[in-house]
């Protein structure tokens, strides 16, 4: 029995020794796995660092030759590689490489802006003999750089296009009044034709540069229209609203996939002048009809003579007040001012 107990103790000791050996081996295996992962990461980072270094060098060379066709896809690859080094920015070699990349990108951005600036006249017309294909490729490079580069080129182009418009229509001369608002819209239509013929191929389609220009045009035009509308007579107001609604519809058809451009909203706060004039005209017509009494119409004795005149008046008012004005007239006549009177009929 004593011998059996001794064997059991021996077996337990050997089991503990074996367990310690297994634990040690497991720890060593884990260390080897961690080392392997670290080596793999180091190899991957080193390889990517080499790729990024070579890409920056090639980018600098292509930029010097203005080879924009090769630059666009290269920038996309560089942007993907750069993502892997965000956590290594404190490493001196990586920081120096990324700083060098920023310098190349900034120089490239300035180079393209200068290229566009030298390719256009001050009237936003392309210079004779300009390389349109190169400009289009350069715009795609700006699109691949970053948001700020893209916005800088977009803002430059919009400002260039609208420079002439601001000079002509934002002054204090006769073109700043409501009677000439249709000429503002005619200017925009002329520009859009130039864009379709000459400028559309210069920019990526998803930029929708013509819509950007139209939106800025609308922002500035609404301001000018609002200033001119203050104190304007009813007829110019109505004419302006009609022209603005027509232009909105034209732009909505042209830019069906873009946010709508608002123009007529600038006049809506001043429509009280038009509505007051219409109310006065209707009141005068009603006064004349009441003064004529219940005289029947010569062609139709069942209808009062005043009915035809009033019907034609209401019809003209409704026609002139369609779109925005119609909504305002309906709100006002159906609200505080009651319903629009109906033509007087005999026996009513």
């Amino acid at each position: 029995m004593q011998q059996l107990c001794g064997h059991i103790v021996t077996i337990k000791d050997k089991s503990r020794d074996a367990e310690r050996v297994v634990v040690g081996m497991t720890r060593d295996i884990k260390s080897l796995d961690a080392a392997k992962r670290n080596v793999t990461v180091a190899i991957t980072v080193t390889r990517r660092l080499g790729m990024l270094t070579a890409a920056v060098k090639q980018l600098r060379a292509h930029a010097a030759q203005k080879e924009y066709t090769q630059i666009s896809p290269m920038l996309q690859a560089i942007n993907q590689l750069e993502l892997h080094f965000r956590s290594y920015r404190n490493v001196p070699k990586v920081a120096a490489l990324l700083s060098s990349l920023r310098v190349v990108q900034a120089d490239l951005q300035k180079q393209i802006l200068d290229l566009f600036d030298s390719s256009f006249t001050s009237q936003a017309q392309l210079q004779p003999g300009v390389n349109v294909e190169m400009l289009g490729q350069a715009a795609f490079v700006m699109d691949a750089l970053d948001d700020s580069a893209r916005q800088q080129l977009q803002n430059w182009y919009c400002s260039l296009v609208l420079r002439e418009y601001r000079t002509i229509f934002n002054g204090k001369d006769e073109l700043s009044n409501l009677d000439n608002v249709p000429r503002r819209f005619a200017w925009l239509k002329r520009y859009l034709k130039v864009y379709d013929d000459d400028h559309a191929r210069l920019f990526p389609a998803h930029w929708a540069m013509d819509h950007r220009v139209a939106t800025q045009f609308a922002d500035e035009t609404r301001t000018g229209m609002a200033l001119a509308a203050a104190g304007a007579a009813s007829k110019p107001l109505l004419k302006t609203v009609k022209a603005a609604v027509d232009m909105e519809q034209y732009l909505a058809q042209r830019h069906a996939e873009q946010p709508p451009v608002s123009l007529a909203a600038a006049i809506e706060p001043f429509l009280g002048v038009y509505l007051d004039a219409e109310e006065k005209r209707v009141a005068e017509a009603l006064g004349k009809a009441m003064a004529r009494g219940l005289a029947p119409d010569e062609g139709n004795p069942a209808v009062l003579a005043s009915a035809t005149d009033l019907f034609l008046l209401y019809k003209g008012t409704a026609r002139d007040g369609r779109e925005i004005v119609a909504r305002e007239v309906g709100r006002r006549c159906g609200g505080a001012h009651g319903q629009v009177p109906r033509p007087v009929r005999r026996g009513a």
Side-chain angles (χ1 to χ4, degrees):
M1 187 67 180
Q2 185 176 3
Q3 186 177 4
L4 179 60
C5 290
H7 284 304
I8 292 174
V9 171
T10 302
I11 292 172
K12 287 183 178 180
D13 291 340
K14 290 182 178 180
S15 297
R16 283 194 291 270
D17 292 340
E19 183 179 357
R20 284 194 293 271
V21 171
V22 170
V23 170
M25 292 177 62
T26 303
R27 183 171 57 251
D28 293 340
I29 291 173
K30 289 181 178 180
S31 298
L32 289 174
D33 286 342
K36 181 181 178 181
R37 286 195 299 271
N38 291 335
V39 170
T40 302
V41 170
I43 293 174
T44 302
V45 171
T46 302
R47 184 173 67 251
R48 287 173 176 169
L49 185 62
M51 294 170 60
L52 183 59
T53 302
V56 172
K57 183 178 179 180
Q58 292 177 5
L59 179 64
R60 185 182 293 108
H62 287 311
Q65 299 298 322
K66 297 183 179 180
E67 296 171 341
Y68 300 126
T69 303
Q70 290 80 11
I71 291 177
S72 294
M74 183 174 294
L75 280 173
Q76 296 175 7
I78 288 175
N79 291 338
Q80 292 297 321
L81 284 172
E82 187 182 359
L83 293 176
H84 298 289
F85 291 97
R86 289 184 175 179
S87 58
Y88 299 97
R89 294 181 182 275
N90 294 329
V91 179
K93 186 174 182 179
V94 174
L97 179 59
L98 294 179
S99 177
S100 176
L101 174 61
R102 294 289 176 265
V103 171
V104 176
Q105 290 174 330
D107 291 343
L108 184 60
Q109 180 175 336
K110 183 179 184 303
Q111 179 189 99
I112 293 175
L113 287 172
D114 291 342
L115 175 64
F116 269 87
D117 187 59
S118 63
S119 299
F120 279 86
T121 67
S122 58
Q123 289 76 35
Q125 300 292 327
L126 286 173
Q127 296 280 9
V130 69
N131 191 333
V132 174
E133 183 178 358
M134 177 181 285
L135 287 176
Q137 296 167 354
F140 273 101
V141 171
M142 295 292 270
D143 190 56
L145 278 171
D146 55 31
D147 292 341
S148 63
R150 178 169 55 252
Q151 291 173 3
Q152 189 173 5
L153 180 56
Q154 291 170 346
N155 293 339
W156 172 87
Y157 176 76
C158 291
S159 178
L160 175 68
V161 169
L162 292 172
R163 183 184 303 165
E164 179 187 21
Y165 173 75
R166 292 164 180 156
T167 301
I168 297 174
F169 294 100
N170 287 1
K172 296 182 179 180
D173 56 16
E174 61 177 1
L175 294 177
S176 297
N177 60 54
L178 286 181
D179 290 335
N180 291 286
V181 165
R183 296 182 63 181
R184 292 175 178 258
F185 300 152
W187 180 93
L188 179 60
K189 287 185 176 181
R190 287 195 301 272
Y191 155 72
L192 292 174
K193 185 178 186 307
V194 172
Y195 179 86
D196 292 338
D197 294 341
D198 300 328
H199 297 180
R201 50 187 169 166
L202 303 181
F203 305 102
H206 64 272
W207 285 14
M209 287 304 302
D210 54 335
H211 180 263
R212 290 179 179 274
V213 171
T215 300
Q216 288 195 23
F217 166 90
D219 292 342
E220 298 185 16
T221 300
R222 284 197 306 272
T223 301
M225 289 166 59
L227 292 174
S234 61
K235 287 186 177 180
L237 282 172
L238 180 59
K239 179 181 177 182
T240 300
V241 170
K242 289 180 178 179
V245 170
D246 290 343
M247 193 65 193
E248 286 178 353
Q249 293 174 346
Y250 170 80
L251 293 174
Q253 293 176 356
R254 178 183 175 91
H255 304 133
E257 298 180 358
Q258 300 294 332
V261 175
S262 174
L263 290 164
I267 305 299
E268 290 182 359
F270 305 96
L271 287 179
V273 174
Y274 166 76
L275 298 178
D276 290 341
E278 287 299 295
E279 286 182 347
K280 182 179 179 181
R281 193 157 68 99
V282 171
E284 291 176 351
L286 283 174
K288 292 179 180 179
M290 296 298 293
R292 293 171 62 180
L294 301 178
D297 186 78
E298 295 181 358
N300 187 357
V303 179
L304 296 180
S306 61
T308 302
D309 295 337
L310 290 175
F311 175 77
L312 293 176
L313 174 63
Y314 297 154
K315 182 179 179 181
T317 300
R319 181 186 63 248
D320 292 340
R322 68 179 181 271
E323 304 295 343
I324 296 176
V325 180
R327 293 195 296 270
E328 293 297 320
V329 171
R331 178 187 63 79
R332 185 166 178 177
C333 292
H337 293 270
Q339 300 294 326
V340 177
R342 298 179 179 179
V344 179
R345 298 179 64 88
R346 176 176 289 185

